[in-house]
Structure formats: structure tokens, C-alpha cells
Amino acid sequence: MSVNFKDIAKIPNLISLFRLSLLIPLFYLLNDLEGNRTEVIALILVAFLSDLSDGYIARKTKQITDLGKLLDPLGDKIFVVVLIIKFYQTDHVDALYFWVILLRDVLIFIGGIIIRTRVKKVLPSNLLGKITIFSIGCFFLSILFGVPVGSLAYNIMYYLSISLSILSVIGYAIRAVETINWYSKNENS
């Protein structure tokens, strides 16, 4: 994978950069979630739609680039990290949830660097990873929409996203080891 910064001007990459720029107002608006709830929800929905559209446009216009393969998941991870930090700082999530989600993203990011260094490939997300991010997103939305802490809906989303986060790290680690072993075996053949 070789990142070509001339690819910044491609529409899907501009959309990814736009999504990253939404973090600036979001970061400040989250300081007063109660007063800015509508704006925060709107920004997150715009970010979600941009996340869906950049990949779709890249595939449809054949503008898939290594830069885009880097920007898209990096944007997703940064978005989750910013949200989890702000939710923790404002007491919307407890320490357990904060550390599980934060460590999940950090471990997968570090794992991605190791795999990239060892085999020159990016390990793509799989169905479990996508379901996990969806469950985290649903939990974040439950916070934003004011689902009462301790309610059945809140607890289901809380524990489901924690469980899936742990399983996704284990699954990613297994896939990473298998990928490195496969490349090591085939490289030496």
C-alpha cells in the first residue's frame, strides 16, 4: 500500500476529510450535550451519511485509493474515540465502558500497524467488526436520545456493545495472527 497524497482531491477522500472536520464542532458541542443535543445528533447523522457515501462513491466511480483505505477507517476510529472521551468526561458513560471501547480501538489500530509493517497489507474489517461498530453507535444514540440509564433498552445496548467489542478484538487478533502466519509461510515457500 502506497499512499499518494494527490488522491486527496478525489471526491470520496474529500468526503472522508469533511467527516473528520466535523469533529471540531462536535468536540465543543459535546461539552454541553443537554443544550446542544439537536446539533450533536445532526452532526453525527451527517458524519454517518458521509461515511456511507464515501465508500459507495469510491466503488461506483472506481476511485478506490490507498489514501481512502486509510482515511475512512481512521475517521471512524477518531470519531468513536472523541465521542467516548467526551461521553466519559461528561459522565454519560462509566469507566468500564470507556476503557473497553477505547482499548478496543487502540488495540485494533496498533494491530493494523503491526500487520501493515509485517505483510504490507491492511486487514479489512469483517462482519463482526461492522456489527460491533453498529452496536456502539446504537448505544451512543441511546445516550443522545436520552434513554434512561438502567432501563432495559439502555442495559441491552450497553452490555451488547461491550461484549461485541471484546469479541471483535479477539477475532481481530486471531485474523491478524493467521494473516501474518500465512504470509510468512508463503513468503518462505
Side-chain angles (χ1 to χ4, degrees):
M1 173 189 274
S2 62
V3 173
N4 183 349
F5 288 99
K6 291 180 184 175
D7 289 336
I8 286 177
K10 295 194 184 290
I11 298 295
N13 295 336
L14 290 173
I15 293 171
S16 292
L17 289 170
F18 168 74
R19 183 168 72 252
L20 282 168
S21 74
L22 294 176
L23 287 166
I24 297 166
L26 182 66
F27 186 81
Y28 291 104
L29 290 171
L30 283 168
N31 286 325
D32 179 18
L33 179 57
E34 302 312 316
N36 300 317
R37 188 173 302 275
T38 302
E39 294 85 351
V40 168
I41 291 170
L43 276 175
I44 289 173
L45 288 175
V46 169
F48 176 71
L49 291 173
S50 72
D51 187 28
L52 293 177
S53 65
D54 62 2
Y56 176 80
I57 291 170
R59 286 186 296 279
K60 287 296 181 188
T61 62
K62 297 185 180 5
Q63 293 185 31
I64 297 172
T65 65
D66 287 338
L67 179 62
K69 291 177 187 176
L70 178 71
L71 283 177
D72 187 48
L74 182 64
D76 295 344
K77 295 227 176 301
I78 292 172
F79 237 91
V80 168
V81 167
V82 165
L83 285 169
I84 197 67
I85 288 171
K86 293 306 274 185
F87 284 157
Y88 182 66
Q89 288 175 338
T90 56
D91 294 324
H92 286 89
V93 297
D94 61 18
L96 173 66
Y97 198 85
F98 171 77
W99 285 110
V100 168
I101 303 306
L102 186 67
L103 288 174
R104 174 196 181 272
D105 278 353
V106 167
L107 290 171
I108 289 174
F109 182 73
I110 291 170
I113 292 171
I114 292 168
I115 293 167
R116 171 76 177 96
T117 303
R118 299 278 303 271
V119 300
K120 310 293 186 246
K121 297 281 183 195
V122 174
L123 194 59
S125 65
N126 63 0
L127 183 59
L128 178 58
K130 291 177 182 185
I131 292 170
T132 301
I133 287 296
F134 180 76
S135 73
I136 293 168
C138 287
F139 180 68
F140 286 172
L141 285 173
S142 76
I143 292 168
L144 294 171
F145 283 108
V147 173
V149 174
S151 68
L152 180 62
Y154 180 94
N155 287 338
I156 288 171
M157 288 181 277
Y158 176 90
Y159 289 110
L160 179 64
S161 57
I162 284 179
S163 301
L164 287 171
S165 293
I166 293 167
L167 288 173
S168 72
V169 169
I170 294 167
Y172 188 88
I174 291 168
R175 288 175 49 226
V177 169
E178 288 173 349
T179 300
I180 290 170
N181 288 341
W182 187 87
Y183 275 92
S184 296
K185 179 181 172 187
N186 290 314
E187 185 177 55
N188 296 329
S189 301

